[in-house]
Amino acid sequence: MDVFLAGTDSLKLTRIARQDPDLALVPAGDAHRHADQSPLDIAALRLALPEGMSTFRPAEPLSLTFFSRESRSSAACVSSRALLTRLPSDSFLEVIQANGDPWPYAGSGELRLFVESPGLSLVRMEQQVQRLVKHGALTPNAAFIKLLTFPMEACGLYARDPSDPAHGPCAFELEPIQSPEKIVELLDDLEGIRGLRRARRAASLVQSGAGSPEETLLSLAFKLPESLGGIEAPAFLENEPIGWPQEVRHLIEHKQMRPDFNWPGHLTAGEYNGKDHISEEAFEEDQRRIRDYQRCGISVFPASYKNVRTVHALNGYLASVAHSLAKTEGPEFEARVRRALEDEGATHARKVLLSQTLPAIPSEKPCW
């Protein structure tokens, strides 16, 4: 029995699998083309699904994808959707037991569980946010920013809480499950699905390596065009190790560091400090890191929740980073950024950016 979860249920299981060391996500290849979607054994499926996934009922049905109209489940506790378009390879990820064991399943045959790949999930999320736009719950710009947060998480090093993504604690230091390039490639091969145009636009703006929701916020603020609340900074790396210059290695206190944001050709870095940086031990560690950056001639700009929680605070932080980047980019760059930070339309766009990306509770990302 092959079960393909869809929409928010797919995203929920994806987050569970990312955080659970006993589970793994692997590309599913062409499994959807040869799927065994015989009638569901609902009772056996409830027992097999991970904790938190088995409480589906008619009022809150489990969303599943089927690949023919005939195979759709008629169970009242299942929301069935027939996906009839041609799908490229690796449109889905399989959720497997990390030790290679099959899923414990009381039904007949062997159970295989699949979730939507980040690219396919992006299209599904686009369809959902457009319904919110239609009903006036989101503006088009807010919907687009909200849409961007899903692939940023998938290509990042964190996962939101499966049961309470908005307020629950994140898991950190995870492996990304996709790259922006793979998402773009999949969407380029897709056709005949509503929402592709905006999903492709979102995929073109995704950056890999964000380590927390706040880092996603800053990444978008650095990268996005002014019309979406960003400053269009030069290309940067996220959470990638940097090498120390040979001449200062004897002075360095850390064997390796991994700035949250790094502009290697501009000798500029940014770091977001989570809640546990408020302790005395974390404060001292931050000072050691800053000294190491300074020994290498790198200007580093630490940020905390207070630097991103309002437009005014965020503008101040972006202006400081832009001033450092201008040493290489030139005064015209800084002047353009300053105009963007003062422009009424761009400021409103930044408020929208904050409204969709700022977590209600500061992340407790660990210090390194």
Side-chain angles (χ1 to χ4, degrees), residues 229 311 346-356:
V311 169
T347 297
H348 176 73
R350 214 154 15 261
K351 289 180 180 177
V352 173
L353 174 64
L354 278 174
S355 74
Q356 299 303 314

Side-chain angles (χ1 to χ4, degrees), residues 293-323:
Y293 283 124
Q294 289 174 336
R295 287 164 181 147
C296 298
I298 298 173
S299 297
V300 60
F301 295 86
S304 64
Y305 193 77
K306 71 178 182 179
N307 298 115
V308 299
R309 67 184 177 186
T310 67
V311 169
H312 178 74
L314 179 59
N315 283 354
Y317 182 74
L318 294 174
S320 295
V321 175
H323 179 70

